[in-house]
Amino acid sequence: MSAGKDPLQELVSLCKRRGFIFQSSEIYGGLNSCWDYGPLGVTLKRNVKDAWWNAMTLRTDIEGLDASILMAPRVWEASGHVENFTDPLVDCKKCRARFRADKAEKNAAGKLICPECGSTDVTEARNFNLMFKTHMGPLEDASNVVYLRPETAQGIYVNFHNVATSMRQKIPFGIAQIGKAFRNEITPGNFIFRTREFEQMEMQYFVKPGEDDKWMDTWKQARWDWHIAMGVNPAKLRFHPHGPGELAHYAKAAFDIEYEFPFGWNEIEGVHNRTDFDLKRHQEYAKKNLQYVNPDNHEDKYVPYIIETSVGADRSTLAILCDAYVEDPANERTVLKFHPKIAPVKVAVLPLSKKPELAPASNKLVEELGAKMKIQYDDSGSIGKRYRRQEEIGTPFCITVDFETLNDQAVTIRHRDTMKQDRIPLDKVSAYIEDAFKNWKQTF
Ligand code: GAP
């Protein structure tokens, strides 16, 4: 990163320039903390979600679910969100900035300091509930208030019995879900890190009480490994165990997986031992028996403990973007060194000239590779500029069709990270690319 530049702003501007992420409603001046994923961003995030979905559900002990965003309001009373999902909000009387008391510094006398102007002339903290409210049906009164879900987890808990019985799952088993969640955050920011509308990828694993510590260890390790398989540099990841002051009221143990963003170490995922709190609360509020009965002996009856893994799709995508971003001044280029598994474009086909002689070989490659993976075809501008563009969007390989191709029926394959070039026969290109992806070694 060049001196004096704000690394996050450089990334934000690349994301806009290259079609990854745009400010929401930009032509109207934008809507704070809301972002639109452009063509490359939506593919990148989908690749992240697909990798998560496959890691979770391509196994016999985890089922998928897609619960609705709007749920019975009692769900949020049972979960504790109506009562406890609050942040302490403070207003600065001098500059009118609004901030969270629990995140602000205090002076020697213990008075809160405004993070914007440094004044200590601030209001008392008042609790502000982060759930977005709306009304169901035409009347806008208290009797038809519903909430936009602040987490996807509750949709899983209330469907625990439906899934267990319809899929004949035995404990231990899990339910995985990807979906939107909404939080009226007081201080959103840092691009897509903290937004008011975001996507979560949550998996709740139901276990026998007493086996929870073992499963907690298993899932901690599995989730750590997943981030590394996404190409994230392990040196920029760490676990943060929740101390007694941080632990949520329902949790027995919790670990954050943190990433070192340009703005510091921050949580990307939480792995929590939620005990039997959630199912017991839903039992109590819904007045339904949510006990698990072992179908093999009908005697083993208990409310399962839950090990939760909860990661933001947007936050994980931001970590992947930050991690992949490399400035290479010696070669006058900026590169996104995505792992091929999540690169939005896998291969670019670049005929050296627009002359019709090069079309048959180019078309053959487009047809053959395009049927297997997301590719781009680009025949305009200098080849150097085309390489720069592909490096900036993280395309692992560029294939150049040149006039020599007409003689040797071969093309040049250029590696994004090393800029090394190989001459490969046309009919071996597909196997070469697939092999390279299979044996990929991520460099940092
Ligand atoms: N069900 C548990 C739960 O929701 P959380 O720690 O509040 O736990 C889990 O959220 C993950 O969701 C976080 O690690 C983060 O990746 C993502 N997340 C939470 N709030 C977010 C926000 N405002 N913007 C983007 N992602 C968010």
Side-chain angles (χ1 to χ4, degrees), residues 219-379:
W219 281 109
K220 250 178 79 186
Q221 186 62 46
R223 295 307 304 147
W224 176 271
D225 294 346
W226 183 83
H227 290 283
I228 290 163
M230 293 295 94
V232 174
N233 183 353
K236 293 200 153 212
L237 287 173
R238 71 179 186 195
F239 277 118
H240 165 75
H242 284 208
E246 277 173 292
L247 215 51
H249 56 283
Y250 51 75
K252 177 173 158 188
F255 289 82
D256 294 340
I257 298 176
E258 294 187 334
Y259 177 76
E260 190 179 18
F261 288 98
F263 43 90
W265 286 96
N266 274 286
E267 170 189 347
I268 50 176
E269 169 151 10
V271 184
H272 312 126
N273 180 344
R274 298 183 67 125
T275 69
D276 54 7
F277 173 84
D278 302 279
L279 290 182
K280 280 200 168 149
R281 290 278 288 198
H282 286 303
Q283 259 193 171
E284 183 190 336
Y285 278 67
K287 300 194 173 40
K288 290 275 170 358
N289 182 0
L290 295 181
Q291 265 194 338
Y292 170 80
V293 182
N294 185 338
D296 294 333
N297 61 22
H298 296 279
E299 281 163 15
D300 215 5
K301 293 184 190 166
Y302 52 86
V303 175
Y305 267 40
I306 293 171
I307 307 300
E308 166 182 72
T309 73
S310 175
V311 56
D314 312 271
R315 230 178 245 191
S316 173
T317 301
L318 181 60
I320 285 166
L321 274 165
C322 291
D323 211 62
Y325 186 93
V326 176
E327 283 187 359
D328 178 5
N331 294 300
E332 295 179 5
R333 63 183 199 146
T334 300
V335 190
L336 285 179
K337 289 191 171 181
F338 290 133
H339 191 288
K341 195 189 310 192
I342 47 147
V345 178
K346 312 294 183 198
V347 171
V349 176
L350 312 174
L352 203 60
S353 114
K354 284 185 175 157
K355 293 230 166 80
E357 300 95 287
L358 301 186
S362 307
N363 292 345
K364 181 179 180 301
L365 287 171
V366 166
E367 220 168 274
E368 192 181 332
L369 294 171
K372 295 182 185 167
M373 58 189 82
K374 183 76 185 161
I375 65 160
Q376 277 194 353
Y377 172 86
D378 186 1
D379 64 5

Side-chain angles (χ1 to χ4, degrees), residues 72-336:
R74 285 280 281 171
V75 167
W76 306 111
E77 290 172 31
S79 68
H81 282 83
V82 170
E83 197 184 339
N84 298 320
F85 198 52
T86 55
D87 276 343
L89 176 69
V90 173
D91 286 310
C92 173
K93 292 185 188 163
K94 195 164 164 220
C95 74
R96 307 255 166 253
R98 194 156 266 184
F99 59 94
R100 279 172 62 171
D102 56 333
K103 299 277 175 191
E105 290 187 11
K106 290 183 177 163
N107 67 10
K111 292 197 104 190
L112 285 170
I113 304 170
C114 169
E116 293 297 324
C117 73
S119 168
T120 52
D121 189 11
V122 301
T123 62
E124 286 294 310
R126 58 198 188 284
N127 279 339
F128 167 76
N129 196 296
L130 301 188
M131 281 197 293
F132 276 98
K133 270 186 204 164
T134 186
H135 296 90
M136 199 138 180
L139 288 181
E140 293 198 6
D141 61 26
S143 67
N144 52 19
V145 164
V146 286
Y147 301 98
L148 303 191
R149 66 181 175 199
E151 61 172 12
T152 62
Q154 300 301 324
I156 295 181
Y157 305 145
V158 300
N159 277 297
F160 161 67
H161 249 229
N162 285 339
V163 175
T165 51
S166 61
M167 304 311 290
R168 302 195 302 141
Q169 279 288 359
K170 288 186 204 164
I171 275 178
F173 79 94
I175 305 177
Q177 171 165 232
I178 299 178
K180 289 264 183 174
F182 302 82
R183 296 181 188 178
N184 203 356
E185 300 278 3
I186 296 170
T187 46
N190 285 328
F191 197 24
I192 53 170
F193 177 80
R194 181 170 288 108
T195 52
R196 295 189 170 115
E197 171 183 344
F198 54 97
E199 256 181 309
Q200 286 187 315
M201 308 189 284
E202 297 199 301
M203 193 283 299
Q204 314 291 328
Y205 204 72
F206 300 89
V207 305
K208 188 172 179 172
E211 294 182 0
D212 48 312
D213 293 340
K214 180 188 84 184
W215 283 109
M216 180 76 181
D217 289 347
T218 304
W219 281 109
K220 250 178 79 186
Q221 186 62 46
R223 295 307 304 147
W224 176 271
D225 294 346
W226 183 83
H227 290 283
I228 290 163
M230 293 295 94
V232 174
N233 183 353
K236 293 200 153 212
L237 287 173
R238 71 179 186 195
F239 277 118
H240 165 75
H242 284 208
E246 277 173 292
L247 215 51
H249 56 283
Y250 51 75
K252 177 173 158 188
F255 289 82
D256 294 340
I257 298 176
E258 294 187 334
Y259 177 76
E260 190 179 18
F261 288 98
F263 43 90
W265 286 96
N266 274 286
E267 170 189 347
I268 50 176
E269 169 151 10
V271 184
H272 312 126
N273 180 344
R274 298 183 67 125
T275 69
D276 54 7
F277 173 84
D278 302 279
L279 290 182
K280 280 200 168 149
R281 290 278 288 198
H282 286 303
Q283 259 193 171
E284 183 190 336
Y285 278 67
K287 300 194 173 40
K288 290 275 170 358
N289 182 0
L290 295 181
Q291 265 194 338
Y292 170 80
V293 182
N294 185 338
D296 294 333
N297 61 22
H298 296 279
E299 281 163 15
D300 215 5
K301 293 184 190 166
Y302 52 86
V303 175
Y305 267 40
I306 293 171
I307 307 300
E308 166 182 72
T309 73
S310 175
V311 56
D314 312 271
R315 230 178 245 191
S316 173
T317 301
L318 181 60
I320 285 166
L321 274 165
C322 291
D323 211 62
Y325 186 93
V326 176
E327 283 187 359
D328 178 5
N331 294 300
E332 295 179 5
R333 63 183 199 146
T334 300
V335 190
L336 285 179

